[in-house]
């Protein structure tokens, strides 16, 4: 998911997710700590499941350290994600904290001090450069790293609670709202027999009305004789 190498990219220093390393310099061991609140970019999460809404604040605490090959960025990102429970479909919010650690490299040197691809060079065909993030004119863009870190920290199947019972499969009611909710299930294979049993009971009731062993009119015939 990490963004591939983009050479000759012009980064906008006004972008809140673009950081300037000029103050840090290229002195190995130099350190800079930063705290910044940035608006969440679009599509910041797992689409249709849970995400940090665009524009919501993302709190960053970062440590920028100058090393031989570039700038090592580490720290944390905190935000509030929104989504819906996969069992009962109720909306939910979750605090998310993601760890960040990434090396942004200089174009002119790798970790062994050898020359790296120059801007405009053929880096796309070099597999070692495919996942390398570079510093461009002293600037680096944290967005692809931040996006990967937050997505990995989000739950793939968010729940409103660990014991959420979900929805009734028969009527769709939320079971947490009615813990005793249930339906009397009738096996359709027995429905015909149940109807037959009711018919038999009705026939027995009719016969019980003639317990004297005589049908209607029998008493009158006896008197006539």
């Amino acid at each position: 998911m990490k963004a591939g190498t983009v050479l000759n990219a012009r980064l906008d220093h006004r972008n809140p997710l673009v950081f300037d390393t000029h103050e840090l310099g290229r002195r190995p061991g130099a350190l800079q700590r930063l705290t910044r609140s940035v608006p969440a970019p679009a599509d910041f999460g797992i689409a249709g499941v849970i995400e940090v809404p665009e524009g919501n604040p993302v709190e960053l605490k970062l440590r920028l350290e100058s090393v031989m090959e570039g700038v090592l960025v580490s720290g944390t990102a905190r935000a509030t994600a929104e989504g819906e429970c996969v069992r009962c479909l109720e909306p939910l919010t979750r605090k998310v904290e993601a760890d960040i650690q990434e090396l942004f490299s200089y174009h002119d040197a790798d970790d062994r001090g050898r020359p790296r691809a120059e801007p405009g060079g053929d880096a796309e065909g070099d597999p070692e450069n495919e996942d390398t993030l570079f510093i461009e004119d002293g600037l680096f863009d944290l967005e692809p790293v931040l996006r990967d870190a937050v997505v990995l920290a989000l739950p793939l199947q968010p729940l409103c609670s660990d014991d959420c019972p979900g929805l009734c499969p028969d009527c769709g009611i939320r079971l947490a709202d009615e813990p005793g909710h249930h339906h009397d299930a009738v096996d359709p294979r027995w429905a015909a027999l149940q109807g037959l049993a009711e018919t038999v009971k009705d026939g027995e009731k009719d016969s019980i009305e003639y317990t004297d062993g005589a049908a209607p009119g029998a008493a009158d015939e006896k008197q006539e004789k």
Side-chain angles (χ1 to χ4, degrees), residues 40-189:
D43 304 321
F44 199 50
I46 306 172
V49 180
I50 188 168
E51 61 185 351
V52 180
E54 183 177 2
N56 275 21
V58 180
E59 307 297 332
L60 299 175
K61 288 187 176 181
L62 302 176
R63 182 177 183 268
L64 278 58
E65 182 180 1
S66 179
V67 294
M68 287 292 295
E69 59 272 25
V71 174
L72 179 63
V73 180
S74 57
T76 58
R78 293 184 177 89
T80 300
E82 298 178 5
E84 65 177 26
C85 177
V86 296
R87 291 181 186 169
C88 69
L89 307 182
E90 285 292 304
L92 57 81
T93 60
R94 282 287 178 273
K95 298 291 185 182
V96 57
E97 180 173 336
D99 294 325
I100 297 170
Q101 186 166 15
E102 186 65 45
L103 175 65
F104 289 85
S105 300
Y106 298 125
H107 280 292
D108 56 359
D110 63 11
D111 56 351
R112 292 175 292 274
R114 296 189 307 217
R116 233 185 235 282
E118 293 296 331
D122 184 16
E124 293 183 359
D126 186 350
E128 293 184 0
N129 287 321
E130 288 180 358
D131 292 332
T132 302
L133 297 175
F134 287 103
I135 295 173
E136 304 287 346
D137 298 326
L139 305 175
F140 68 84
D141 185 2
L142 190 66
E143 181 175 339
V145 176
L146 179 62
R147 186 182 297 277
D148 286 355
V150 169
V151 169
L152 289 174
L154 291 172
L156 293 176
Q157 294 186 318
L159 297 173
C160 60
S161 65
D162 292 338
D163 58 350
C164 174
L167 302 175
C168 173
D170 294 317
C171 65
I173 193 171
R174 187 168 180 261
L175 296 176
D177 296 333
E178 295 189 20
H181 177 81
H182 71 282
H183 295 270
D184 293 329
V186 177
D187 191 326
R189 294 173 298 179

